[in-house]
Amino acid sequence: MSSPRLSSVIASLVILSLSIVAPPPRAEAARAFFVFGDSLVDSGNNNYLVTIARADSPPYGIDYPSHRPTGRFSNGLNLPDIISESIGSEPTLPYLNPELTGEKLLIGANFASAGIGILNDTGVQFLTIIRMFQQFANFQVYQARLSALIGAEPAQQLVNEALVLITLGGNDFVNNYFLTPITPRRRQFSIEAFSDYLISEYRNILRRLYDLGARRVLVTGTGPLGCVPAELASQGSRNGECAPEPQRAANIFNPALVQMLRGLNQEIGSDVFIIANAFQMNMDFIDNPQQFGFITSKVACCGQGAYNGLGLCTSLSNLCPDRSVYAFWDPFHPTERANRIIAQQILTGSTDYMSPMNLSTIMALDSKV
């Protein structure tokens, strides 16, 4: 019969040996989260680029936990941050952030870059930006780094089980087609034909995303392009009425996007792509701001000129004292509070907002697999 001391020594050796051979624990938390797209979802990649499309100076970030600018085009959190909260995860780091290494890779990554569009000629005025082909190249490099960390099969599983958000299309209209009264794309296409061209190119992008391993993809349509403060100001809106041509473009593009995604899901044989009706999500509080606790959905919190919609948001701009009562933070982007309203619809909205299902349903279904 062994002595108590000998038993204790043997137990200690067994625990020590297990700790040596066991692989490092993986956080069992949330699924990974990947983000692609433009300034509505960029969390700071453009901070590392030579570009004028950046949000790394005050007053950006004034309501972020650090009260410092982060590169998010928001007074505080942006849409990906709030979705991360909803799935119980840390915010994804920008792909270019040097802190994205080791265990941080397991959380996912944000590849988005302000100023980009579906088309490669969108955003040329912003100098260096990370267009979609490069975002996907970065995603491939990320996957190689992830494989080196946890092995090829676990890395593939992590990517396949991840949630993906992609936001594109708005810049192709406001920073390309409608950028000036006469543009090359306007000479080339009617609004209808341009929308068809965008949908065709977007389909190729989404198919490539699927080929890279994405299996649950939230795709946001464009918001009401004619109703942002920048368009109200530039189009000379007198009483806050939305600019008709950009608004018509959104009304043409978004239904076509829904049809394209349905066809793509049928081709794949699975509900990979989930459409978020960002147009209606935004119009709800644009049409009825008081119902959502806003004092205005026309005037940006930060800016100058009519509707605070001209130029950039800088330290010299007009700045509202209470961001929670403004729907728009700057001439183009919603406040954190508006983003929270949008995120809530993504999470729990009816099929009027999320098709074929909302994020809560996705999480419930996928947890049973």
Side-chain angles (χ1 to χ4, degrees):
M1 187 171 179
S2 60
S3 69
R5 183 176 179 183
L6 180 59
S7 298
S8 176
V9 170
I10 291 170
S12 297
L13 289 171
V14 168
I15 292 169
L16 179 62
S17 66
L18 286 173
S19 69
I20 292 170
V21 299
R26 248 191 77 186
E28 287 303 327
R31 65 205 296 178
F33 184 33
F34 301 112
V35 182
F36 300 89
D38 57 27
S39 61
L40 289 168
V41 293
D42 182 359
S43 290
N45 280 309
N46 280 25
N47 293 358
Y48 302 92
L49 306 177
V50 179
T51 180
I52 59 171
R54 56 197 313 123
D56 57 349
S57 299
Y60 285 96
I62 189 170
D63 299 310
Y64 193 75
S66 66
H67 303 292
R68 294 174 178 271
T70 62
R72 291 164 172 81
F73 286 76
S74 172
N75 60 300
L77 302 183
N78 65 5
L79 185 60
D81 294 325
I82 300 164
I83 291 176
S84 290
E85 282 182 0
S86 301
I87 64 175
S89 179
E90 297 176 37
T92 53
L93 287 172
Y95 173 76
L96 295 181
N97 188 322
E99 294 179 15
L100 184 65
T101 186
E103 296 281 309
K104 291 286 187 183
L105 292 169
L106 304 178
I107 298 168
N110 187 315
F111 300 90
S113 177
I116 72 137
I118 295 166
L119 305 180
N120 287 332
D121 61 288
T122 292
V124 293
Q125 67 272 30
F126 299 126
L127 307 178
T128 308
I129 50 179
I130 311 170
R131 293 181 169 81
M132 282 312 303
F133 71 89
Q134 187 60 56
Q135 290 189 28
F136 286 162
N138 291 345
F139 188 34
Q140 290 177 284
V141 174
Y142 162 89
Q143 291 191 41
R145 292 170 61 195
L146 185 67
S147 295
L149 179 70
I150 63 173
E153 285 190 20
Q156 187 63 55
Q157 182 180 356
L158 183 146
V159 171
N160 290 159
E161 294 177 354
L163 181 68
V164 180
L165 172 67
I166 185 166
T167 296
L168 288 172
N171 281 328
D172 294 287
F173 289 104
V174 299
N175 279 309
N176 189 338
Y177 191 87
F178 292 116
L179 182 60
T180 59
I182 299 174
T183 63
R185 290 301 190 184
R186 270 183 151 174
R187 291 175 181 271
Q188 185 180 12
F189 293 110
S190 66
I191 292 177
E192 291 82 359
F194 186 62
S195 180
D196 288 344
Y197 178 48
L198 290 179
I199 293 295
S200 174
E201 292 298 305
Y202 204 175
R203 190 184 192 281
N204 294 336
I205 287 170
L206 294 174
R207 186 72 213 201
R208 177 62 177 149
L209 184 56
Y210 177 82
D211 291 343
L212 290 172
R215 294 296 180 268
R216 280 295 193 200
V217 184
L218 301 175
V219 183
T220 67
T222 74
L225 301 175
C227 301
V228 299
E231 289 300 317
L232 301 186
S234 66
Q235 300 298 318
S237 176
R238 296 197 172 199
N239 299 303
E241 65 276 8
C242 300
E245 286 294 275
Q247 201 70 343
R248 186 165 79 88
N251 278 314
I252 292 169
F253 175 84
N254 286 313
L257 177 63
V258 172
Q259 290 304 114
M260 182 267 280
L261 292 176
R262 286 176 179 163
L264 202 49
N265 283 340
Q266 287 175 356
E267 180 183 303
I268 292 168
S270 178
D271 289 327
V272 172
F273 299 102
I274 312 297
I275 182 68
N277 185 352
F279 183 93
Q280 192 56 52
M281 293 174 188
N282 280 270
M283 284 308 299
D284 284 351
F285 58 73
I286 286 173
D287 282 342
N288 299 290
Q290 284 75 27
Q291 182 181 329
F292 292 86
F294 297 123
I295 60 170
T296 178
S297 59
K298 308 296 183 184
V299 180
C301 169
C302 181
Q304 46 277 314
Y307 304 99
N308 277 344
L310 297 177
L312 303 173
C313 169
T314 72
S315 58
L316 300 178
S317 298
N318 301 320
L319 180 65
C320 68
D322 183 359
R323 275 70 64 186
S324 69
V325 294
Y326 280 71
F328 285 97
W329 158 244
D330 69 10
F332 288 102
H333 305 96
T335 56
E336 176 181 329
R337 185 150 174 278
N339 272 323
R340 287 192 176 279
I341 294 168
I342 293 166
Q344 188 59 46
Q345 290 289 16
I346 289 174
L347 192 65
T348 62
S350 70
T351 51
D352 291 335
Y353 298 94
M354 297 294 296
S355 179
M357 67 191 101
N358 61 36
L359 181 53
S360 293
T361 304
I362 292 169
M363 298 297 287
L365 284 174
D366 292 353
S367 69
K368 297 174 185 176
V369 175

